[in-house]
Amino acid sequence: MRLTLTQLKHLSVETVSGVKLGRVHDVVFEIDGQLVAQYLVRRPLLGGALYRISRDQVVRFEEHRLIVDDGVVKESVQEEVFGKKQVRVEPVLTREE
């Protein structure tokens, strides 16, 4: 499968267990090997979390989405906010090379 950057940036991203993280916002390339080092994923809400997903954490590509390892999500905490349950997802740190 081949994707253009435009197609890649329209993919939704979710974990193997089905937690939706957002959409691919940008890509970090490793210049020496001409490889994708990380995918930057942003939640759709204004001021949403930004996830740095290593290429090692990608499980598979599907037609309209990118499936990543459950380890991308550090924790999922339910909070009561004005009587409604809200799930807060925090990004996990990835290695810097």
Side-chain angles (χ1 to χ4, degrees), residues 63-75:
E63 188 174 348
H64 297 288
R65 63 186 176 167
L66 175 62
I67 307 297
V68 298
D69 187 49
D70 285 326
V72 169
V73 179
K74 182 177 178 183
E75 63 182 23

Side-chain angles (χ1 to χ4, degrees), residues 82-93:
F82 302 111
K84 297 181 181 178
K85 286 189 179 180
Q86 176 181 348
V87 177
R88 181 179 51 131
V89 181
E90 297 179 2
V92 68
L93 297 176

